[in-house]
């Protein structure tokens, strides 16, 4: 096994401290193996120029282009110098700018006709695409040492372009890869030999060589097919082992009881369940009746009746002698669930109280901000078993909380809960409780197979009767300010017709943020010359917009604010008054994104809409059109018409189908961010797999993985696969798998 060790070598041994430090800090690459698995994003052909017309805005790019012309301009009465270079690819043009002392070297080297690789961030200045202070590498100068070195490094016809960062450009990464490439021979092959030969895959060392230094396009295809399969397969084996381990855990079977709470509840429902709700409920009841814990993901559009399905599951567990806990991501949502569940249950939620049903149970709320006395009573009701149902936030997970017999945990909006929290709650049962995870974010099948691969999936795809259509439009505030004025008129018209509206902003805008923000901006303003200062303004804030609306476009209407830093009682009060119709317009942050249900609210204006993700916009929009009147959603943006941000907004405006949007969302994200792993550039463990295009690969890998784990759960006959799994499931990747 000494082969493993050369891939575990720290990069600083081979590359020197400075390069290794940048790789660790900015690209999360620490070992030789990490760098070998940092694959090129694409390949440029030597002598062929990159198409400059379709470069993405605000992204770090690497292009191969030719210098058309270069000239030095002065500003500030001759005190400042600026070098402007125009690049061409034969069809489009791109401007480069260099300032101050940085103009001399490029002015000497970037002569018209020269070809080079350029790397930098694409921005728009004076309506032209530009790269400010790009780094570059000449490709055609035979005299300069550095250039000939570059030509040697790219002796092949295909130039690999690596995912890079400001501190380290693609060609420097290519040079580092050259230094570690010989170690590829030691790569441990995770695929069982029979599977590799059966599917005709290239051996792993050869695939690594071909992906980094291909001689032909066919080499790239070969390598990618193999590396894609490895990723899908190793991930699916990890998930299959987790599912297998879960089936080995004991759980109390909670079988459905006749004439209990559930039947009493169903009898008083004023409507019939949809076919989908019936089908999904049956899947859940079947799971609950087994002696292994249920692990099920319930996904359904906003308003598809997930809460109803979850509540019926909770009642079935209470009937069978257990308790059920529902975990919500925010206090506002926990309170809302508590209110709607007690309303739906009526006297059945008043077990042991006067006027309560003798079949009833107690439904308690437990949140961090409750008063001491109410909290003490809630904790007591849980430990004695008086309360069959508890609804709460993270406060439910605290050590102090004890259950009489926890049988079912329902988690709302899973993507906000880590697995540690799921486990902490699970450990509260005498045996592991059953688990139902709900999400209103539509998840394409492939993502469900990768991110939520340890859960069985149920989908509610019909909307209950009585939901109205929502019209969505993009409002280009910068190009057409009169459109924004018209948007506020539309809000006023909705209110005049007896309805209400939401206005959503990305930021709160209270003093703590403000001071820091102004300080930050001042510092920047001092430092940057006007041409350089491409800083975006801070996102629009709830408090400022509310003041502007009260004093201007919506004066005379009742405008209130709601955000996460308000005292819980204050939040509750505003929500209650909005629900009662006493507030016309609610200006809020995304605290209203999940679970807020006010059927009379028909209009929503989302400010700086381009600063939200696709699925978040879809979630927000789902707050309107919940009653009989049609909904209206206006996406206000100052984004440039040709920018990816505007394309995203147009996509959201064009369809109400959440699954279609989640697909678009995935297609538009950059690599390393496929599964929502955008935090601080953490590289996701999927590098070649695009979850969207590789459905067949993922499905096939899942099948193979299930068969292998069923035959050999501990992988005793496959030591190489075990080694690779251990590396994949080191701490960070384990968290990644679990958080989804």
């Amino acid at each position: 096994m000494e082969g493993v060790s050369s891939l575990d070598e720290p990069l600083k041994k081979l590359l020197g401290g400075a390069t290794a430090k940048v790789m660790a800090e900015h690209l999360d690459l620490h070992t030789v193996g990490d760098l070998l698995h940092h694959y090129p994003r694409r390949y440029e052909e030597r002598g062929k120029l990159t198409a400059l017309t379709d470069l993405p805005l605000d992204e770090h790019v690497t292009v191969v282009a030719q210098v058309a012309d270069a000239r030095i301009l002065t500003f500030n009465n001759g005190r400042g110098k600026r070098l402007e270079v125009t690049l061409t690819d034969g069809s489009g043009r791109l401007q480069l700018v260099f300032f101050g002392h940085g103009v001399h070297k490029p002015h000497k080297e970037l002569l018209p006709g020269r070809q080079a690789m350029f790397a930098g961030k694409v921005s728009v200045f004076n309506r032209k695409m530009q790269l400010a202070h790009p780094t570059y590498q000449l490709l055609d100068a035979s005299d300069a040492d550095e250039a000939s070195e570059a030509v040697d490094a790219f002796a092949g016809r295909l130039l690999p372009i690596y995912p890079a960062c400001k501190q380290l450009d693609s060609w420097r990464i290519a040079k580092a890869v050259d230094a570690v490439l010989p170690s590829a021979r030691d790569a441990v092959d995770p695929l069982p030999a029979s599977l590799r030969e059966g599917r005709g895959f290239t051996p792993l060392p050869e695939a690594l060589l071909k992906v980094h230094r291909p001689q032909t396009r066919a080499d790239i295809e070969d390598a990618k097919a193999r590396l894609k399969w490895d990723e899908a397969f190793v991930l699916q084996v990890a998930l299959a082992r987790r599912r297998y381990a879960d089936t080995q855990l004991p759980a109390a079977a909670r079988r459905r009881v006749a004439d209990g709470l559930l039947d009493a509840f169903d009898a008083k429902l004023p409507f019939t369940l949809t076919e989908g709700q019936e089908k999904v409920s049956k899947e859940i009841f079947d799971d609950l009746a087994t002696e292994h814990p249920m692990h099920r993901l319930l996904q359904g559009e906003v308003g598809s009746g997930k809460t109803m399905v979850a509540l019926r599951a909770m009642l079935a567990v209470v009937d069978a002698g257990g308790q059920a806990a529902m975990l919500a991501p925010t206090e506002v949502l926990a309170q809302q669930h508590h209110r709607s569940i007690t309303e739906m249950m009526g006297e059945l939620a008043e077990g042991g109280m006067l006027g309560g049903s003798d079949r009833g149970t107690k439904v308690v709320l437990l949140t961090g901000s409750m008063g001491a006395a109410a909290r003490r009573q809630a904790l007591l009701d849980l430990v004695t078993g008086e309360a069959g149902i508890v609804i709460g936030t993270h406060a439910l997970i605290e050590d102090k909380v004890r259950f009489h017999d926890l049988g079912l945990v329902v988690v709302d909006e899973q993507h906000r809960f880590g697995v540690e929290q799921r486990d902490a709650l699970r450990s509260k049962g005498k045996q592991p409780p059953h688990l139902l995870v709900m999400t209103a974010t539509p998840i394409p099948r492939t993502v469900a197979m990768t991110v939520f691969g340890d859960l069985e999936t149920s989908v509610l795809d019909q909307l209950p009767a009585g939901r109205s259509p929502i019209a969505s439009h993009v409002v280009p505030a910068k190009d057409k300010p009169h459109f924004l004025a018209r948007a506020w008129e539309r809000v006023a018209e909705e209110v005049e017709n007896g309805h209400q509206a939401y206005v959503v902003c990305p930021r709160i805008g209270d003093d703590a943020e403000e001071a820091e923000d102004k300080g930050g901006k001042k510092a920047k303003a001092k430092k940057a010359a006007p041409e350089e200062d491409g800083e975006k303004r801070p996102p629009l804030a709830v408090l400022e917009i509310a003041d502007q609306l009260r004093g201007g476009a919506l004066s005379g209407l009742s405008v209130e604010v709601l955000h996460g830093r308000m005292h819980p009682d204050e939040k509750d009060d505003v929500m209650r008054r909005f629900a009662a119709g006493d507030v016309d317009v609610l200006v809020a942050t995304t605290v209203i994104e999940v679970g807020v249900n006010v059927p009379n609210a028909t209009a929503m204006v989302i400010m700086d809409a381009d600063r939200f993700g696709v699925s978040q916009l879809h979630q927000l929009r789902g707050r309107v059109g919940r009653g009989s009147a049609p909904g209206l959603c206006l996406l206000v943006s100052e984004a440039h018409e040709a920018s990816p941000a505007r394309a995203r907004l147009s996509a959201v405006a064009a369809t109400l189908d959440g699954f279609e949007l989640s697909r678009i969302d995935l297609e538009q994200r950059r690599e390393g961010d496929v599964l929502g792993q955008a935090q601080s550039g953490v590289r996701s463990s999927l590098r070649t797999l695009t979850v969207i295009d590789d459905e067949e690969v993922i499905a096939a890998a899942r099948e193979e993985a299930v068969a292998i784990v069923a035959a050999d759960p501990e992988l005793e006959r496959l030591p190489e696969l075990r080694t690779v799994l251990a590396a994949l499931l080191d701490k960070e990747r384990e968290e990644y798998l679990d958080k989804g």
Side-chain angles (χ1 to χ4, degrees), residues 42-45 47-56 61-66 87-94 122 129 131 161:
R42 58 190 166 83
Y43 303 83
E44 293 288 9
E45 287 191 29
K48 208 169 159 193
L49 306 175
T50 312
L52 298 177
T53 39
D54 38 8
L55 291 177
V61 299
T62 302
V63 297
V64 177
Q66 191 163 8
L87 300 182
T88 175
D89 62 0
S91 61
R93 293 186 160 237
L94 177 67
V122 185
M129 303 264 269
L131 297 180
I161 307 291

Side-chain angles (χ1 to χ4, degrees), residues 321-375:
Q323 289 170 295
M326 185 180 216
L327 212 54
T330 63
E331 295 217 350
V332 169
L333 196 53
Q335 286 158 344
Q336 184 128 5
H337 276 317
H338 182 253
R339 205 172 313 151
S340 65
I341 282 175
T342 45
E343 275 166 20
M344 284 197 274
M345 285 175 65
E347 77 281 3
L348 296 173
E350 296 165 3
M353 300 185 218
L354 270 176
S357 154
D358 52 358
R359 274 188 291 195
T361 186
K362 236 183 187 182
V363 178
V364 299
L365 176 69
L366 191 61
T367 61
S369 64
M370 283 168 74
R375 189 181 168 80

Side-chain angles (χ1 to χ4, degrees), residues 143-154:
D143 49 347
D145 296 345
E146 209 176 305
S148 62
E149 205 176 288
V151 174
D152 291 345
F154 303 116

Side-chain angles (χ1 to χ4, degrees), residues 279-458:
K279 180 175 134 293
V280 170
S281 290
K282 183 181 178 327
E283 291 171 348
I284 292 172
F285 292 143
D286 288 349
D287 280 359
L288 289 173
T290 63
E291 301 195 340
H292 301 294
M294 160 171 86
H295 286 114
R296 191 166 281 281
L297 172 69
L298 171 56
Q299 50 176 118
E301 285 282 9
V302 171
S304 58
K306 291 185 301 296
T307 313
M308 171 62 69
V309 168
L311 175 56
R312 292 183 71 240
M314 298 201 299
L315 295 175
V317 167
V318 174
D319 278 341
Q323 289 170 295
M326 185 180 216
L327 212 54
T330 63
E331 295 217 350
V332 169
L333 196 53
Q335 286 158 344
Q336 184 128 5
H337 276 317
H338 182 253
R339 205 172 313 151
S340 65
I341 282 175
T342 45
E343 275 166 20
M344 284 197 274
M345 285 175 65
E347 77 281 3
L348 296 173
E350 296 165 3
M353 300 185 218
L354 270 176
S357 154
D358 52 358
R359 274 188 291 195
T361 186
K362 236 183 187 182
V363 178
V364 299
L365 176 69
L366 191 61
T367 61
S369 64
M370 283 168 74
R375 189 181 168 80
R376 244 195 327 272
Q377 184 58 52
L379 289 171
L380 191 66
D381 288 341
L382 284 180
V383 80
T384 58
E386 187 92 356
I389 295 178
V390 58
I391 294 153
T393 52
H394 295 68
L396 275 180
I397 303 171
E398 287 172 14
D399 292 345
K400 291 197 257 328
V401 182
R402 295 270 177 275
F403 289 86
H404 176 62
D405 181 11
L406 180 60
L408 170 67
V409 175
V410 178
V411 179
D412 192 18
E413 289 307 325
Q414 153 70 16
H415 57 279
R416 303 172 180 227
F417 276 107
V419 80
E420 314 81 61
Q421 292 157 320
R422 244 162 55 178
D423 285 347
L425 198 54
R426 220 182 255 173
S427 65
K428 304 248 177 229
K430 294 173 181 165
Q431 286 184 320
H434 298 281
L435 176 70
L436 179 64
V437 169
M438 303 198 295
T439 178
T441 310
I443 303 164
R445 175 170 165 258
T446 41
V447 181
M449 283 195 295
T450 42
V451 186
F452 295 104
D454 60 334
L455 302 168
E456 300 298 328
T457 306
S458 297

Side-chain angles (χ1 to χ4, degrees), residues 55-82:
L55 291 177
L57 272 182
D58 286 338
E59 283 195 27
H60 189 91
V61 299
T62 302
V63 297
V64 177
Q66 191 163 8
V67 178
D69 71 276
R71 53 177 190 273
I72 285 192
L73 307 171
T74 56
F75 55 94
N76 270 357
N77 296 329
R79 285 199 301 277
K81 275 189 179 167
R82 180 169 90 235

Side-chain angles (χ1 to χ4, degrees), residues 224 228 232 444-447 449-450 662-664 666-669 674-675 686 688-699:
K224 283 205 162 158
K228 238 176 215 184
R445 175 170 165 258
T446 41
V447 181
M449 283 195 295
T450 42
S662 64
R663 208 188 153 82
I664 290 166
L666 280 178
E667 280 169 358
Q668 293 194 334
R669 292 189 191 183
V674 170
L675 305 175
L686 298 191
T688 49
L689 215 52
T690 47
V691 177
I692 271 303
D693 306 325
D694 297 323
E695 188 159 336
E696 285 95 60
V697 175
I698 293 171

